[in-house]
Amino acid sequence: MLTTNILTSAYKLMVTAKAMCDTYDANRQVCKYVHSTSRGHEAIQVATGMQLLNCDWVSPYYRDDCMMLSIGFSPYEMMLQLLAKRDDPFSGGRSYYCHPSSRDKNRPSIVHQSSATGMQAIPTTGLAQGLQFLEQHQNTHLIKSVDNQLPIVLCSMGDGAMTEGEISEALQFAALKQLPVVYLVQDNQWGISAQADETRTMNAYEYAAGFKGLKRMQCDGSDFIRSYETMNQAINYARHERKPVLVHAKVPLLGHHTSGVRKEFYRSREDLLKHGLYDPIPKMRMLLNGMGLTEGEVNQLETVANEKVALDFTKAQAAAEPDIRTVEDHVFAPSIIKEERGIRNPQKGEKIMMVDAAVHAIEEIMEEHPEAIVYGQDVGNRLGGVFREAANLAQKFGNHRVFNTAIQEAYIVGSTVGMSALGLKPIVEVQFADYIYPGLNQLVSEVAKSCYLSNGKFPVQVLLRVPVGAYGGGGPYHSGSIESTLLSIKGIKVVYPSNAADMKGLMKAAFHDPNPVVMLEHKGLYWSKVPGTDDARSIEPAKDYILPLGKANIVLQADPANVKLGESVCVITYGMGVYWAKAAAEMHPGRVEVLDLRTLYPLDEEMIYDCSRKHGKVLVLTEEQLNNSFAEALSLRISNNCYHFLDAKVEVMGAKNLPAVPINVALEAAMLPTALKVADRIGKLLAY
């Protein structure tokens, strides 16, 4: 029931948000960093925030400063982020205004928020997915609750976001799995300078009708009573029925799109006047007058709000700037795996294939860690992965822990943000490297940046498996190498094992790493079907074996006598390159040392430079197309750090610079390095 206390509290929040907006606009030189405010959206935002519990998870978007006030954050806390101050509680001065993240137990929790429109829908749906998993499988002790009320997830966004394809992936998954999530869509009819009738054929309420199982509601978001009643029904539905609901709230836009894209740039006087008719604050003032509050009493609420905002703004301006020495803090959470340990070659151990080493590693992980879950396309119990890389895991651990998803690379990648925030440890898979690109939005904007921009509060613990590489006519969409693309993304780690023992040890380390780790797994090495790759099969390490990331390995040593005479070459490589290099070395007996990187980031620079200085002749070998590749970049780093020890320029060898791998096996072979090609390049280096 709406009481006078609720209404007066709501009005105080609304006029506080307005005072903040007015203050920022009056101090544009001070408020120099780009920001948006909630002017026009106050009623629906307050009606929502006031009804959330401390146990809930909320994902505000960049215009939701009024919602932030209503869930308990002060103007001062918000202003610290506005002015990018050291004590900004959300990002430590690293991110925009109203891009919060919070683990405060006395307020709803918030995962890292990016600016990318609509991208928050997938991580927050992942939160709801994680809550459902914990509830359904006797893990409720891991869920924060208030007065025995189970938490919900609320995802807020603008109607313009609804045209993003990733919104569809989130809504489809929420409806399919019936997740406890509320999608609040605030529709102000503008997407920066584009009006609704230019950009969409329907609003969010109409769009939601296409998702069977998704309840939908709508209201006038400028009317507090209608907004409160609608959100009360929506929140209670998600909280008690544990099912998804979308609320479409039509609101006016009374402020600027952002401080940098001001309303006078693109909006007419008539449009502004039309929106002004729906200003929620005069509506609320009239409501309070109708309930018996005098003009003086209402004015006093505004006076108190204005004074609070002025005081907090003065205080925020005087707050300390960030210490520039902290700029590199929280790129990653500290890893606990520092040293190789366990038994790599147990007595009476049997040789296994790489694909089996991966399955065994995950099986052992899941036995010890009930928080580990596996999902992706076709990894469930019927198939166990198109390469059998998840074979029998669903049969052993159940369909709730190992399950199929739709063809939704963005959802597979981005949902891990929410899963990880709840303490789950997802192991997910993109079926082929060539199809990872729809997932890059989430990997770049959400996963990779989360730890850094949340100031260390939300590292994303996920192991992302990606089959890569060419062999046997796989063709242009099943043979790609993507390491350079991934290594251009800061905030993720990239692993690339070349044999079964490394596969198992690195898989364990990647799982225990509290950060995003992408494991590239060469399809041609899975079963050692490619001639010359028998050594990819190795003795299976013991259950306790673990191999830390960032440790390279010399897999073939040159004859010390040749090294002493300066008649040796170091080949630095990884993946299939290891086997090309070893085969090529047979044509130059005793004169080739092969260094297997094993991990591409973090990189074992110490061993790379030691090997380069030792031999003075270096070949960096990759399967990737060569131009602008990781291998080329690595060759420059070697040159810069080992220049005085080199007898020749660092050579780089890779695939031809073609858009894709041809399907014809002869054309494929013509594109890729081979042992003979590598041996020829080594011979030229040895001639120096």
Side-chain angles (χ1 to χ4, degrees):
M1 180 179 176
L2 283 168
T3 64
T4 302
N5 284 340
I6 290 175
L7 294 172
T8 54
S9 296
Y11 187 71
K12 284 169 62 177
L13 291 166
M14 292 164 69
V15 293
T16 298
K18 180 180 182 300
M20 292 162 66
C21 174
D22 293 343
T23 300
Y24 304 159
D25 218 28
N27 294 272
R28 290 171 62 183
Q29 288 188 322
V30 175
C31 305
K32 58 186 178 182
Y33 302 113
V34 66
H35 57 271
S36 296
T37 67
S38 57
R39 270 307 278 129
H41 294 230
E42 296 94 343
I44 187 64
Q45 290 186 19
V46 173
T48 301
M50 290 181 76
Q51 299 186 73
L52 295 175
L53 304 178
N54 294 342
C55 62
D56 292 332
W57 292 81
V58 59
S59 181
Y61 84 120
Y62 54 78
R63 199 177 296 285
D64 281 353
D65 57 357
C66 201
M67 187 183 294
M68 291 293 292
L69 293 173
S70 66
I71 63 175
F73 290 94
S74 68
Y76 176 66
E77 290 172 300
M78 303 282 292
M79 292 167 181
L80 287 173
Q81 187 170 50
L82 172 82
L83 302 178
K85 297 293 189 174
R86 181 192 67 192
D87 296 328
D88 154 26
F90 310 122
S91 70
R94 296 174 174 186
S95 197
Y96 309 96
Y97 179 65
C98 205
H99 285 61
S101 58
S102 177
R103 284 192 178 274
D104 188 332
K105 63 182 180 181
N106 296 315
R107 296 181 266 208
S109 298
I110 309 170
V111 294
H112 155 254
Q113 303 296 293
S114 78
S115 288
T117 302
M119 296 303 101
Q120 70 270 38
I122 286 179
T124 47
T125 304
L127 277 166
Q129 180 187 351
L131 287 175
Q132 184 185 75
F133 176 85
L134 293 173
E135 291 168 31
Q136 292 181 350
H137 303 290
Q138 289 75 53
N139 292 300
T140 51
H141 63 285
L142 299 176
I143 302 174
K144 184 171 67 171
S145 62
V146 173
D147 297 329
N148 295 318
Q149 298 280 329
L150 287 172
I152 64 159
V153 178
L154 185 129
C155 178
S156 174
M157 58 192 130
D159 198 79
M162 300 302 292
T163 55
E164 285 280 5
E166 294 183 24
I167 297 293
S168 173
E169 293 194 20
L171 297 183
Q172 191 274 341
F173 199 92
L176 176 68
K177 299 296 184 180
Q178 291 292 279
L179 302 179
V181 56
V182 178
Y183 300 101
L184 170 61
V185 183
Q186 301 173 55
D187 184 1
N188 61 31
Q189 298 288 294
W190 283 98
I192 308 185
S193 66
Q195 290 186 301
D197 57 7
E198 297 177 69
T199 58
R200 59 182 192 249
T201 61
M202 65 191 81
N203 64 35
Y205 179 79
E206 295 161 336
Y207 183 62
F211 295 90
K212 184 179 179 181
L214 176 63
K215 185 179 177 66
R216 59 195 182 118
M217 307 173 71
Q218 58 183 341
C219 67
D220 178 355
S222 69
D223 183 315
F224 180 77
I225 291 180
R226 299 287 84 78
S227 297
Y228 193 94
E229 291 172 343
T230 302
M231 293 310 300
N232 181 264
Q233 293 176 42
I235 289 170
N236 283 332
Y237 178 79
R239 194 177 308 284
H240 301 296
E241 298 295 325
R242 314 306 289 163
K243 294 179 180 179
V245 55
L246 181 143
V247 177
H248 172 250
K250 192 170 180 180
V251 293
L253 178 61
L254 302 180
H256 309 288
H257 170 68
T258 68
S259 55
V261 183
R262 302 180 65 79
K263 58 189 177 185
E264 58 267 23
F265 293 174
Y266 61 93
R267 295 177 68 183
S268 66
R269 181 174 179 274
E270 291 74 21
D271 176 73
L272 291 168
L273 288 172
K274 180 179 72 175
H275 278 247
L277 295 174
Y278 297 94
D279 189 337
I281 291 179
K283 286 186 177 185
M284 192 67 166
R285 187 181 183 102
M286 291 176 62
L287 179 62
L288 292 176
N289 291 154
M291 295 190 70
L293 271 72
T294 66
E295 283 293 309
E297 289 171 324
V298 176
N299 288 339
Q300 181 61 23
L301 295 174
E302 294 187 18
T303 298
V304 171
N306 290 338
E307 290 175 350
K308 170 66 173 171
V309 167
L311 183 65
D312 281 4
F313 189 65
T314 299
K315 184 180 174 184
Q317 289 180 78
E321 296 290 326
D323 184 340
I324 61 172
R325 293 171 296 182
T326 67
V327 70
E328 294 182 283
D329 291 355
H330 305 302
V331 175
F332 294 108
S335 176
I336 60 173
I337 307 300
K338 304 291 186 183
E339 302 294 334
E340 184 175 5
R341 61 175 187 256
I343 302 172
R344 183 179 174 96
N345 293 297
Q347 291 183 353
K348 299 182 181 179
E350 295 184 359
K351 279 192 172 184
I352 62 169
M353 297 182 293
M354 275 185 68
V355 70
D356 291 331
V359 174
H360 295 173
I362 294 175
E363 183 176 357
E364 291 168 3
I365 286 167
M366 296 186 76
E367 286 172 345
E368 293 183 19
H369 298 277
E371 70 275 23
I373 56 175
V374 175
Y375 58 96
Q377 297 167 32
D378 300 301
V379 301
N381 61 14
R382 293 186 190 89
L383 187 60
V386 294
F387 300 104
R388 303 293 288 158
E389 72 282 0
N392 300 317
L393 292 176
Q395 288 89 335
K396 182 161 187 177
F397 297 104
N399 293 332
H400 63 295
R401 291 187 67 193
V402 183
F403 55 89
N404 292 327
T405 66
I407 302 172
Q408 294 183 331
E409 287 83 5
Y411 188 85
I412 291 167
V413 173
S415 60
T416 65
V417 175
M419 292 283 203
S420 177
L422 288 164
L424 296 170
K425 296 180 180 179
I427 302 170
V428 299
E429 180 183 310
V430 168
Q431 200 165 74
F432 290 92
D434 306 84
Y435 301 126
I436 198 172
Y437 299 100
L440 288 187
N441 254 350
Q442 291 292 323
L443 190 61
V444 173
S445 297
E446 310 299 332
V447 175
K449 291 180 172 63
S450 182
C451 187
Y452 187 70
L453 292 182
S454 69
N455 216 19
K457 292 191 291 297
F458 286 102
V460 180
Q461 183 163 3
V462 55
L463 170 54
L464 173 58
R465 300 180 65 189
V466 185
V468 297
Y471 84 102
Y477 291 101
H478 297 83
S479 305
S481 294
I482 59 168
E483 52 264 35
S484 293
T485 297
L486 294 174
L487 291 165
S488 70
I489 304 168
K490 313 311 173 191
I492 65 173
K493 300 183 180 183
V494 181
V495 179
Y496 203 143
S498 67
N499 60 74
D502 287 350
M503 171 74 87
K504 189 170 184 182
L506 289 169
M507 187 78 77
K508 294 284 185 79
F511 173 79
H512 289 290
D513 198 296
N515 302 288
V517 181
V518 181
M519 178 164 280
L520 302 179
E521 305 174 17
H522 200 293
K523 305 185 301 294
L525 301 179
Y526 265 154
W527 303 284
S528 295
K529 285 186 175 181
V530 177
T533 62
D534 287 346
D535 287 349
R537 297 171 68 246
S538 58
I539 299 294
E540 180 174 10
K543 188 175 182 178
D544 64 348
Y545 180 66
I546 194 162
L547 178 62
L549 309 187
K551 301 292 184 182
N553 184 40
I554 295 174
V555 295
L556 179 68
Q557 291 190 334
D559 187 318
N562 290 326
V563 176
K564 189 173 182 179
L565 292 171
E567 297 178 354
S568 63
V569 170
C570 173
V571 180
I572 298 171
T573 188
Y574 54 94
M576 188 63 77
V578 171
Y579 300 94
W580 293 327
K582 289 171 71 174
E586 294 178 3
M587 304 175 208
H588 301 281
R591 303 180 71 182
V592 179
E593 192 146 299
V594 179
L595 179 65
D596 181 0
L597 294 176
R598 301 197 289 197
T599 301
L600 307 186
Y601 192 89
L603 194 60
D604 193 344
E605 293 186 345
E606 182 179 358
M607 186 173 282
I608 291 169
Y609 299 152
D610 285 348
C611 189
S612 300
R613 292 170 184 140
K614 175 182 174 182
H615 297 277
K617 302 179 184 71
V618 182
L619 171 62
V620 180
L621 175 62
T622 179
E623 183 174 327
E624 273 198 301
Q625 294 93 325
L626 200 56
N627 280 7
N628 304 313
S629 65
F630 159 69
E632 282 196 331
L634 178 56
S635 71
L636 178 62
R637 288 160 73 178
I638 294 170
S639 296
N640 288 343
N641 284 276
C642 307
Y643 178 78
H644 295 292
F645 297 87
L646 297 176
D647 300 326
K649 73 179 182 69
V650 178
E651 291 287 319
V652 191
M653 188 173 182
K656 293 184 183 298
N657 298 302
L658 306 177
V661 181
I663 194 169
N664 178 275
V665 290
L667 294 176
E668 177 190 83
M671 177 185 180
L672 297 176
T674 64
L676 286 173
K677 295 175 187 176
V678 175
D680 181 64
R681 187 69 69 89
I682 290 172
K684 292 176 180 176
L685 262 176
L686 287 169
Y688 279 95

